[in-house]
Amino acid sequence: MSAFLQQLPALIGVVIGALGSYLAVVRGDRARHRREREAHWQERRFTAYADYARAVKTSVTLAYRGASALGLDPHPHPLPPREADVSMAEATAARDPYWEALLLLGSPEVVDRARAWVVVLMDMERLVRDGSRDRPAWRDLLERQRVARADYYSAVRADLGLPTGHSARLPLPALSDTP
């Protein structure tokens, strides 16, 4: 019995070592799984944010083209009013699934900024659909759209932990006040 008692501390040490090793592996696996899951959802959010931004930018470009046909915007490819209306409606329908993904995956701040951006876009589209030739109103909408887009990207960068990027605030081209 005394031989067993002499080896008991070593045996306890082996059991404690094995248990400690097991716990370290389990804890490491959990941490790795958590990091992988976070990276997965971070990538999904990035994709949702980028897809939504592309869809809104497509609609913005169509509004520019429609406004160009009205003589309000210098876009080099004017889109006649009927075509602009149809194209803007199609772009809105194509944008809707991206909005749903954004609602599902986006932070509240990003969703709020996305909504603000699209509200300005809807005002731009309304001005084009109405056939308005109000240049000061169009200039105001251009500036509001640029601010809303910059705010959206700023919120996205903050949510994803990205460094500050370019503001994309380039000077507006000069528009003459005469048709």
Side-chain angles (χ1 to χ4, degrees), residues 3 28 35 43 49 52 55 71-72 84 105-106 111 125 133 135 158 167 173:
R35 281 190 310 271
E43 179 64 30
Y49 294 164
Y52 183 75
L72 298 175
L105 298 172
V111 171
E125 291 173 336
R133 296 186 186 275
R135 288 174 192 262
S167 70

PDB file of all heavy atoms in Angstrom, residues 3 28 35 43 49 52 55 71-72 84 105-106 111 125 133 135 158 167 173:
ATOM      1  N   ALA A   3       3.568   1.758  -1.602  1.00  0.00           N
ATOM      2  CA  ALA A   3       4.005   2.043  -2.977  1.00  0.00           C
ATOM      3  C   ALA A   3       2.906   2.810  -3.724  1.00  0.00           C
ATOM      4  O   ALA A   3       3.186   3.740  -4.483  1.00  0.00           O
ATOM      5  CB  ALA A   3       4.341   0.754  -3.713  1.00  0.00           C
ATOM      6  N   GLY A  28     -10.091  26.894 -26.062  1.00  0.00           N
ATOM      7  CA  GLY A  28      -9.512  27.388 -27.316  1.00  0.00           C
ATOM      8  C   GLY A  28     -10.448  27.150 -28.493  1.00  0.00           C
ATOM      9  O   GLY A  28     -10.601  28.025 -29.360  1.00  0.00           O
ATOM     10  N   ARG A  35     -14.782  33.426 -32.842  1.00  0.00           N
ATOM     11  CA  ARG A  35     -14.121  34.327 -33.797  1.00  0.00           C
ATOM     12  C   ARG A  35     -14.571  34.027 -35.226  1.00  0.00           C
ATOM     13  O   ARG A  35     -14.819  34.942 -36.007  1.00  0.00           O
ATOM     14  CB  ARG A  35     -12.600  34.201 -33.699  1.00  0.00           C
ATOM     15  CG  ARG A  35     -11.992  34.934 -32.549  1.00  0.00           C
ATOM     16  CD  ARG A  35     -10.474  34.969 -32.639  1.00  0.00           C
ATOM     17  NE  ARG A  35      -9.849  33.681 -32.869  1.00  0.00           N
ATOM     18  CZ  ARG A  35      -9.472  32.823 -31.928  1.00  0.00           C
ATOM     19  NH1 ARG A  35      -9.646  33.116 -30.654  1.00  0.00           N
ATOM     20  NH2 ARG A  35      -8.908  31.665 -32.238  1.00  0.00           N
ATOM     21  N   GLU A  43     -18.678  39.465 -42.433  1.00  0.00           N
ATOM     22  CA  GLU A  43     -18.635  39.385 -43.906  1.00  0.00           C
ATOM     23  C   GLU A  43     -20.036  39.510 -44.493  1.00  0.00           C
ATOM     24  O   GLU A  43     -20.241  40.190 -45.503  1.00  0.00           O
ATOM     25  CB  GLU A  43     -17.999  38.064 -44.337  1.00  0.00           C
ATOM     26  CG  GLU A  43     -17.920  37.869 -45.832  1.00  0.00           C
ATOM     27  CD  GLU A  43     -17.033  38.886 -46.539  1.00  0.00           C
ATOM     28  OE1 GLU A  43     -16.067  39.364 -45.931  1.00  0.00           O
ATOM     29  OE2 GLU A  43     -17.330  39.213 -47.708  1.00  0.00           O
ATOM     30  N   TYR A  49     -24.316  45.591 -46.741  1.00  0.00           N
ATOM     31  CA  TYR A  49     -24.089  47.032 -46.830  1.00  0.00           C
ATOM     32  C   TYR A  49     -23.656  47.439 -48.235  1.00  0.00           C
ATOM     33  O   TYR A  49     -24.144  48.433 -48.785  1.00  0.00           O
ATOM     34  CB  TYR A  49     -23.026  47.474 -45.826  1.00  0.00           C
ATOM     35  CG  TYR A  49     -23.415  47.338 -44.367  1.00  0.00           C
ATOM     36  CD1 TYR A  49     -22.441  47.391 -43.377  1.00  0.00           C
ATOM     37  CD2 TYR A  49     -24.736  47.160 -43.961  1.00  0.00           C
ATOM     38  CE1 TYR A  49     -22.768  47.280 -42.038  1.00  0.00           C
ATOM     39  CE2 TYR A  49     -25.068  47.051 -42.631  1.00  0.00           C
ATOM     40  CZ  TYR A  49     -24.079  47.112 -41.671  1.00  0.00           C
ATOM     41  OH  TYR A  49     -24.409  47.009 -40.343  1.00  0.00           O
ATOM     42  N   TYR A  52     -26.552  46.984 -50.851  1.00  0.00           N
ATOM     43  CA  TYR A  52     -27.540  48.051 -50.728  1.00  0.00           C
ATOM     44  C   TYR A  52     -27.004  49.355 -51.323  1.00  0.00           C
ATOM     45  O   TYR A  52     -27.709  50.045 -52.057  1.00  0.00           O
ATOM     46  CB  TYR A  52     -27.938  48.250 -49.263  1.00  0.00           C
ATOM     47  CG  TYR A  52     -29.003  49.296 -49.115  1.00  0.00           C
ATOM     48  CD1 TYR A  52     -30.320  49.021 -49.453  1.00  0.00           C
ATOM     49  CD2 TYR A  52     -28.697  50.571 -48.670  1.00  0.00           C
ATOM     50  CE1 TYR A  52     -31.304  49.990 -49.343  1.00  0.00           C
ATOM     51  CE2 TYR A  52     -29.678  51.541 -48.551  1.00  0.00           C
ATOM     52  CZ  TYR A  52     -30.976  51.241 -48.898  1.00  0.00           C
ATOM     53  OH  TYR A  52     -31.946  52.207 -48.800  1.00  0.00           O
ATOM     54  N   ALA A  55     -27.181  49.253 -55.062  1.00  0.00           N
ATOM     55  CA  ALA A  55     -28.562  49.381 -55.546  1.00  0.00           C
ATOM     56  C   ALA A  55     -29.036  50.831 -55.454  1.00  0.00           C
ATOM     57  O   ALA A  55     -29.680  51.338 -56.381  1.00  0.00           O
ATOM     58  CB  ALA A  55     -29.484  48.460 -54.744  1.00  0.00           C
ATOM     59  N   GLY A  71     -32.558  69.023 -68.346  1.00  0.00           N
ATOM     60  CA  GLY A  71     -31.608  70.132 -68.367  1.00  0.00           C
ATOM     61  C   GLY A  71     -31.114  70.536 -66.986  1.00  0.00           C
ATOM     62  O   GLY A  71     -30.546  71.609 -66.824  1.00  0.00           O
ATOM     63  N   LEU A  72     -31.296  69.657 -65.993  1.00  0.00           N
ATOM     64  CA  LEU A  72     -30.901  69.988 -64.622  1.00  0.00           C
ATOM     65  C   LEU A  72     -29.535  69.432 -64.234  1.00  0.00           C
ATOM     66  O   LEU A  72     -28.933  69.911 -63.278  1.00  0.00           O
ATOM     67  CB  LEU A  72     -31.941  69.438 -63.633  1.00  0.00           C
ATOM     68  CG  LEU A  72     -33.348  69.984 -63.748  1.00  0.00           C
ATOM     69  CD1 LEU A  72     -34.271  69.244 -62.787  1.00  0.00           C
ATOM     70  CD2 LEU A  72     -33.354  71.472 -63.464  1.00  0.00           C
ATOM     71  N   ALA A  84     -37.018  57.120 -67.977  1.00  0.00           N
ATOM     72  CA  ALA A  84     -36.514  57.354 -66.620  1.00  0.00           C
ATOM     73  C   ALA A  84     -37.504  56.814 -65.592  1.00  0.00           C
ATOM     74  O   ALA A  84     -37.104  56.149 -64.623  1.00  0.00           O
ATOM     75  CB  ALA A  84     -36.255  58.834 -66.393  1.00  0.00           C
ATOM     76  N   LEU A 105     -29.590  42.387 -41.076  1.00  0.00           N
ATOM     77  CA  LEU A 105     -28.206  42.279 -40.622  1.00  0.00           C
ATOM     78  C   LEU A 105     -27.582  43.584 -40.123  1.00  0.00           C
ATOM     79  O   LEU A 105     -26.567  43.561 -39.437  1.00  0.00           O
ATOM     80  CB  LEU A 105     -27.329  41.735 -41.760  1.00  0.00           C
ATOM     81  CG  LEU A 105     -27.682  40.342 -42.262  1.00  0.00           C
ATOM     82  CD1 LEU A 105     -26.884  40.011 -43.506  1.00  0.00           C
ATOM     83  CD2 LEU A 105     -27.447  39.316 -41.171  1.00  0.00           C
ATOM     84  N   GLY A 106     -28.177  44.718 -40.491  1.00  0.00           N
ATOM     85  CA  GLY A 106     -27.548  46.003 -40.205  1.00  0.00           C
ATOM     86  C   GLY A 106     -27.734  46.486 -38.781  1.00  0.00           C
ATOM     87  O   GLY A 106     -28.711  46.158 -38.114  1.00  0.00           O
ATOM     88  N   VAL A 111     -28.912  51.300 -40.499  1.00  0.00           N
ATOM     89  CA  VAL A 111     -30.263  51.273 -41.064  1.00  0.00           C
ATOM     90  C   VAL A 111     -30.852  52.686 -41.092  1.00  0.00           C
ATOM     91  O   VAL A 111     -31.459  53.090 -42.095  1.00  0.00           O
ATOM     92  CB  VAL A 111     -31.174  50.297 -40.290  1.00  0.00           C
ATOM     93  CG1 VAL A 111     -32.623  50.422 -40.729  1.00  0.00           C
ATOM     94  CG2 VAL A 111     -30.680  48.860 -40.486  1.00  0.00           C
ATOM     95  N   GLU A 125     -36.134  61.406 -57.254  1.00  0.00           N
ATOM     96  CA  GLU A 125     -36.968  60.723 -58.245  1.00  0.00           C
ATOM     97  C   GLU A 125     -38.292  61.462 -58.446  1.00  0.00           C
ATOM     98  O   GLU A 125     -38.773  61.576 -59.573  1.00  0.00           O
ATOM     99  CB  GLU A 125     -37.220  59.276 -57.807  1.00  0.00           C
ATOM    100  CG  GLU A 125     -35.987  58.410 -57.869  1.00  0.00           C
ATOM    101  CD  GLU A 125     -36.185  57.026 -57.267  1.00  0.00           C
ATOM    102  OE1 GLU A 125     -37.090  56.857 -56.415  1.00  0.00           O
ATOM    103  OE2 GLU A 125     -35.434  56.119 -57.638  1.00  0.00           O
ATOM    104  N   ARG A 133     -38.207  71.702 -63.462  1.00  0.00           N
ATOM    105  CA  ARG A 133     -36.979  72.293 -64.005  1.00  0.00           C
ATOM    106  C   ARG A 133     -36.391  73.279 -62.988  1.00  0.00           C
ATOM    107  O   ARG A 133     -35.727  74.238 -63.356  1.00  0.00           O
ATOM    108  CB  ARG A 133     -37.257  72.962 -65.338  1.00  0.00           C
ATOM    109  CG  ARG A 133     -37.695  71.939 -66.393  1.00  0.00           C
ATOM    110  CD  ARG A 133     -37.847  72.559 -67.762  1.00  0.00           C
ATOM    111  NE  ARG A 133     -38.394  71.614 -68.714  1.00  0.00           N
ATOM    112  CZ  ARG A 133     -37.682  70.736 -69.399  1.00  0.00           C
ATOM    113  NH1 ARG A 133     -36.385  70.676 -69.260  1.00  0.00           N
ATOM    114  NH2 ARG A 133     -38.266  69.926 -70.259  1.00  0.00           N
ATOM    115  N   ARG A 135     -33.826  74.318 -60.880  1.00  0.00           N
ATOM    116  CA  ARG A 135     -32.386  74.070 -60.696  1.00  0.00           C
ATOM    117  C   ARG A 135     -31.936  74.215 -59.246  1.00  0.00           C
ATOM    118  O   ARG A 135     -31.171  73.368 -58.763  1.00  0.00           O
ATOM    119  CB  ARG A 135     -31.568  74.982 -61.603  1.00  0.00           C
ATOM    120  CG  ARG A 135     -31.666  74.583 -63.050  1.00  0.00           C
ATOM    121  CD  ARG A 135     -30.956  75.613 -63.935  1.00  0.00           C
ATOM    122  NE  ARG A 135     -31.299  75.354 -65.308  1.00  0.00           N
ATOM    123  CZ  ARG A 135     -30.528  74.683 -66.139  1.00  0.00           C
ATOM    124  NH1 ARG A 135     -29.371  74.223 -65.746  1.00  0.00           N
ATOM    125  NH2 ARG A 135     -30.917  74.483 -67.378  1.00  0.00           N
ATOM    126  N   ALA A 158     -17.994  52.552 -39.176  1.00  0.00           N
ATOM    127  CA  ALA A 158     -18.005  52.454 -37.714  1.00  0.00           C
ATOM    128  C   ALA A 158     -18.513  51.086 -37.269  1.00  0.00           C
ATOM    129  O   ALA A 158     -17.943  50.466 -36.371  1.00  0.00           O
ATOM    130  CB  ALA A 158     -18.859  53.572 -37.109  1.00  0.00           C
ATOM    131  N   SER A 167     -14.218  60.701 -48.154  1.00  0.00           N
ATOM    132  CA  SER A 167     -15.580  61.209 -47.961  1.00  0.00           C
ATOM    133  C   SER A 167     -16.386  61.223 -49.254  1.00  0.00           C
ATOM    134  O   SER A 167     -17.597  61.353 -49.224  1.00  0.00           O
ATOM    135  CB  SER A 167     -15.533  62.630 -47.402  1.00  0.00           C
ATOM    136  OG  SER A 167     -15.048  63.525 -48.390  1.00  0.00           O
ATOM    137  N   PRO A 173     -20.194  69.881 -60.285  1.00  0.00           N
ATOM    138  CA  PRO A 173     -19.920  70.623 -61.512  1.00  0.00           C
ATOM    139  C   PRO A 173     -20.807  71.860 -61.587  1.00  0.00           C
ATOM    140  O   PRO A 173     -21.927  71.875 -61.057  1.00  0.00           O
ATOM    141  CB  PRO A 173     -20.275  69.630 -62.622  1.00  0.00           C
ATOM    142  CG  PRO A 173     -21.111  68.596 -61.987  1.00  0.00           C
ATOM    143  CD  PRO A 173     -20.796  68.596 -60.524  1.00  0.00           C
TER     144      PRO A 173
END
